[in-house]
Amino acid sequence: MKNAAEQMQVRANAEEVATAVAACLVADLRAILAGGGIAQVVFPTGMTPVRTYEQLAVVHRQALPWSRVHLCQMDEYLGLSPTDPRKFSLFLQKHLVAPLGCQLRPLRGAESDEEMRVYEQEIIQAGGLDLVLYGVGVNGHLGFNEPGSSFSSPSRRVQLHQSTRDHIDTRAGEAPSEAVTLGLAVLNAARRARVIALGSQKRRAIAAGLLHPPSVDMPLSSLQHHHDLRVFVDVAACPA
Ligand code: GLP
């Protein structure tokens, strides 16, 4: 098995990363769907994957039976109205469900640990996750598994760290303080793990997460021993 550093693919710029990630996801999904069933996947929100999703919609729309791709929600802010543009469910609808025609397994307003456990069990009973594409928080969080999260953490309600709240675009109002997230246990049990990170703001997390020994202070490092990991970064996010 290659180590995490060897799994890293560095591209010249964000556009080339998007092209590489979109091609990787399509190859992954083609292999998963070849069995005739569904692909149960998690794709992240945030600015980082937007261009990748545009490429899926424009270049790869006809490449796959997207209706057999079932998208699960990685996380969601609490305390926002259902129509608030910051809602991750609306982001996924806009960037993936509407343009591609994949299915969304919605969180249906889950707010408590118990409701998140039910959501996690639904995913497991449907066969577990075939593929997760992770974005990375500036502090190395995955989903909303903030630093300090156990690598076997369950899906649950969480408090957001100040560094995460500082990163949230506050034009639509105050940064939310709470969220729900899939836990690292169910996410990292995915059969394929892919990571995308762009820009110098992510360089410290990529270095600490992939090049240093694993630590709960750096959730990204929980992926170091994943058996099928690929990491895509641009030059700016790549540790020197
Ligand atoms: C949020 C999401 C993460 C995402 C991260 C990075 O915190 N919960 O899943 O990876 O943002 O966002 P961006 O890509 O905008 O830097």
Side-chain angles (χ1 to χ4, degrees), residues 45-48 74-75 88 135-136 141 143-144 167 202:
T45 57
M47 289 307 296
T48 306
M74 185 181 274
D75 45 17
F88 289 164
V136 181
H141 70 221
F144 276 135
H167 188 67
K202 304 292 172 74

Side-chain angles (χ1 to χ4, degrees), residues 1-2 7 134 187-194 221-230:
M1 191 169 74
K2 292 182 185 174
Q7 314 287 7
Y134 297 85
L187 285 169
N188 293 355
R191 290 175 275 282
R192 297 164 192 242
R194 311 295 182 233
S221 70
S222 65
L223 284 171
Q224 281 188 24
H225 300 300
H226 194 283
H227 65 281
D228 187 353
L229 173 68
R230 293 177 72 183

Side-chain angles (χ1 to χ4, degrees), residues 139-149 151 184 188 209 215-224:
N139 62 6
H141 70 221
L142 297 178
F144 276 135
N145 292 280
E146 295 277 33
S149 300
F151 289 179
L184 290 176
N188 293 355
S215 158
V216 293
D217 294 331
M218 181 46 65
L220 176 61
S221 70
S222 65
L223 284 171
Q224 281 188 24

